[in-house]
Structures are given as structure tokens and as C-alpha cells.
Amino acid sequence: MAFSIQHLSENGFDIIELADDDGARVQVIPSLGALLHGFIIPRGKGPLNVIDSYGSMDEYNNRIQDSFKSVKLSPFACRIKDATYQWNGVERKIQKSPIHGLLYDQAFTLILEEAGSQDAVIDLEYHYKGWDPGYPFPYTCNVRYRLQADNTLEISTSILNHHGETIPVMDGWHPYFTTGGTVDELELQFWSTEIVEFDEKLIPTGKLLPYTSFTKAKKLEGVELDNSFLLDFKQSSPLCTLHDPREQVTIEFYPSTGYPVLQVYTPPHRRSIAIENLTGAPNAFNNGLGLVKLAPGESLQFSTTLRVRG
């Protein structure tokens, strides 16, 4: 097996493509929030991109703040109620957006690219300098994409605190998955123990409720989801699978224990489904559900792996 990396320009995007000689390809756009633009697998009937991304820069510019598809969510994911939280006795108010963090549209820098007989790897980095008054805590966000054999993609994030005090962190991803049809044709299965109870504005109430409804695969026809689930790491991996019986394609998810929350969202258009690995629940800066507290000079890594079969 041989792996390679090349730089492409397509539809207004500057893309880095990781590939193997079996035909698997991973496409990343560093300048747009380290966006995962494509995960393309070879098949007898033609290649399939299982990532629902943007068709052009115009579409990206018009839709990024509606969908946030496949971008890095940092230093928080989902929502912060009223864009406000308390930290170390000080009230902070996010100025940019109370949804999906501060880096989703920032340009990451390519700091490493390597390809050999085992994998193809790129490291992307963004140095946040505390420019939002609601999050005045400098840190470095490093994102690694690693393509391996058998249609396997590992995505890792490292956060390094440069601030002189402990800072709050909630890390996440926002990929949308598709097999070319509608969500109604897909079957979803995941191992969960509890669901986070939300109020009518999708803010957690603070309660965790028992939930095991998807421990057996369930067809998504007529099912609407915008929920956070706590994964059951006592079960064997993969902890989540998305299966298309018509296309005979299965996407498997292997999150590390650093990502205990699975967020699932079915958008109204139902052409794709968001399956997100998160370190905590929405509004974690206020409710503390899965909130990561990073000490000065401390670095933590969070990772998940996707494997596509079929």
C-alpha cells in the first residue's frame, strides 16, 4: 500500500487531498476552519463521497453560519445560552457567535504533511490569541487528519493552553454524512446509556434520562433528531454505525473516551445527517456537563476514527 498527498484547487477551494493507491481519498480545506470536505471511497459502481460538504465558495459563504458543516468546533460546540457564562467569578459574553465556537471560519496553517507505506498525515494549526472578549484565553488548536488502509480516517485534535490560568474547553466536530440518497433510507445504531434532556430552545435542563432506543439499528424514516446522547464505552466498538441497505455502505464510528457525547441531527432537507463527537453537552460552559478544564501549559488530545465499509 502506498499513500500520497497533493494540493488541489477546485470550485474556488484550496484543498489538500490524502489518498491511497486503492482509491480512497480525504479532502481537507485548511483555510475554512480545517473543514473536512470529502471522504471518498472506491466502489465497483464508482467512487462515493460520504461527506456532505459545500459545492462552491458561494455556497459556503451563504450557508456556513446556517449549517457549520464539517468544520472544527472550538473552544466550544453547540450552544452557550444567551452567549453568556461565568468563569472564575467573572461574567463573560461571547461576541462572535454563541453557536459552534470561534474557529469554524478561521484559516488554519499547514505545519506537517507526510505520506508513506502506512498512512498519509497532515497537521493543521491555529493560534487563538484571545481576540473575542467573551473568551480572552489564548490557546493553540492542532488538528490532525490521518488516512489509513481499509477506508479508515483518524481525526485528532490537541488543545494547548497558553493562558496563565485554567480555561474552559468543549471540543467537537460537525460532519454531515450522506450516501447519496435521503436520510429516510438509512439505519442508525449507537450504544448509549442516557440522553441529555433539552428545553424548548435546545438548552440542557441539567437532567440525564435513561436512553437505549438505538442500541439496535433503527430505520430513520420519519425520525427527527437534534439530541445529545452519552455513549456506553463498556460496549464493543464501533460505538455508532450508519448503514445504507440500498447502497450496502456502512460508516462506523470509533470515538475515544475523550468524546463521551454523541450529538445527532437530522436537518429538514434530510439529504444528510450530522453525527458529531463532542467532549461535552450543549451549554457546557454553564452546566458543566462534560466541561474540560485545561490548566496553564496543559495539553489534551481528543480523537475519533471513521471507517467506511462497502
Side-chain angles (χ1 to χ4, degrees), residues 62-170:
N62 290 332
R63 296 297 312 279
I64 178 60
Q65 293 191 10
D66 295 331
S67 63
F68 299 90
K69 290 192 295 190
S70 297
V71 290
K72 183 66 210 167
L73 308 183
S74 178
F76 61 89
C78 302
R79 309 165 175 79
I80 295 179
K81 185 181 180 181
D82 300 325
T84 303
Y85 66 100
Q86 295 272 346
W87 187 251
N88 289 340
V90 179
E91 181 175 282
R92 303 288 186 185
K93 188 173 181 64
I94 300 294
Q95 299 299 306
K96 181 176 183 179
S97 169
I99 300 177
H100 292 325
L102 304 174
L103 306 190
Y104 60 82
D105 59 353
Q106 298 299 297
F108 282 65
T109 300
L110 175 67
I111 62 169
L112 179 145
E113 58 178 304
E114 293 180 347
S117 61
Q118 301 296 317
D119 56 23
V121 176
I122 59 171
D123 278 5
L124 310 175
E125 196 163 84
Y126 183 84
H127 296 289
Y128 174 76
K129 297 181 180 180
W131 39 257
D132 192 297
Y135 196 86
F137 313 125
Y139 72 96
T140 294
C141 179
N142 180 284
V143 177
R144 167 169 288 197
Y145 288 97
R146 181 186 181 207
L147 176 64
Q148 301 169 276
D150 300 323
N151 301 331
T152 301
L153 173 62
E154 181 185 68
I155 306 168
S156 302
T157 299
S158 298
I159 304 295
L160 173 61
N161 179 11
H162 296 297
H163 192 57
E165 300 177 358
T166 296
I167 64 173
V169 171
M170 180 204 171

Side-chain angles (χ1 to χ4, degrees), residues 7-258:
H7 294 240
L8 311 172
S9 293
E10 295 179 354
N11 301 319
F13 298 127
D14 291 325
I15 298 168
I16 301 179
E17 183 176 87
L18 292 68
D20 66 26
D21 55 12
D22 283 342
R25 291 177 287 149
V26 170
Q27 295 185 337
V28 179
I29 306 177
S31 63
L32 304 179
L35 186 151
L36 176 60
H37 187 57
F39 187 11
I40 302 151
I41 63 164
R43 298 184 303 163
K45 60 192 298 183
L48 172 67
N49 185 2
V50 299
I51 299 297
D52 178 16
S53 188
Y54 304 95
S56 66
M57 274 299 300
D58 285 344
E59 182 185 354
Y60 168 86
N61 288 330
N62 290 332
R63 296 297 312 279
I64 178 60
Q65 293 191 10
D66 295 331
S67 63
F68 299 90
K69 290 192 295 190
S70 297
V71 290
K72 183 66 210 167
L73 308 183
S74 178
F76 61 89
C78 302
R79 309 165 175 79
I80 295 179
K81 185 181 180 181
D82 300 325
T84 303
Y85 66 100
Q86 295 272 346
W87 187 251
N88 289 340
V90 179
E91 181 175 282
R92 303 288 186 185
K93 188 173 181 64
I94 300 294
Q95 299 299 306
K96 181 176 183 179
S97 169
I99 300 177
H100 292 325
L102 304 174
L103 306 190
Y104 60 82
D105 59 353
Q106 298 299 297
F108 282 65
T109 300
L110 175 67
I111 62 169
L112 179 145
E113 58 178 304
E114 293 180 347
S117 61
Q118 301 296 317
D119 56 23
V121 176
I122 59 171
D123 278 5
L124 310 175
E125 196 163 84
Y126 183 84
H127 296 289
Y128 174 76
K129 297 181 180 180
W131 39 257
D132 192 297
Y135 196 86
F137 313 125
Y139 72 96
T140 294
C141 179
N142 180 284
V143 177
R144 167 169 288 197
Y145 288 97
R146 181 186 181 207
L147 176 64
Q148 301 169 276
D150 300 323
N151 301 331
T152 301
L153 173 62
E154 181 185 68
I155 306 168
S156 302
T157 299
S158 298
I159 304 295
L160 173 61
N161 179 11
H162 296 297
H163 192 57
E165 300 177 358
T166 296
I167 64 173
V169 171
M170 180 204 171
D171 190 77
W173 284 95
H174 208 248
Y176 281 62
F177 296 92
T178 178
T179 55
T182 71
V183 169
D184 292 337
E185 299 168 342
L186 305 180
E187 298 173 353
L188 178 66
Q189 183 273 334
F190 57 85
W191 293 104
S192 67
T193 55
E194 295 171 303
I195 186 173
V196 179
E197 184 183 65
F198 287 167
D199 65 16
E200 67 279 359
K201 295 183 179 180
L202 301 179
I203 300 296
T205 66
K207 294 182 179 179
L208 301 176
L209 306 176
Y211 193 90
T212 57
S213 296
F214 279 88
T215 53
K216 291 186 178 180
K218 179 184 292 188
K219 190 173 182 181
L220 290 175
E221 184 176 5
V223 176
E224 295 184 6
L225 295 169
D226 194 355
N227 302 94
S228 294
F229 307 93
L230 298 190
L231 291 170
D232 184 1
F233 285 96
K234 295 179 182 178
Q235 304 295 331
S236 300
S237 291
L239 292 182
C240 176
T241 60
L242 184 67
H243 177 64
D244 185 334
R246 178 178 58 86
E247 293 291 336
Q248 287 297 298
V249 171
T250 302
I251 305 171
E252 300 175 344
F253 299 79
Y254 298 82
S256 70
T257 55

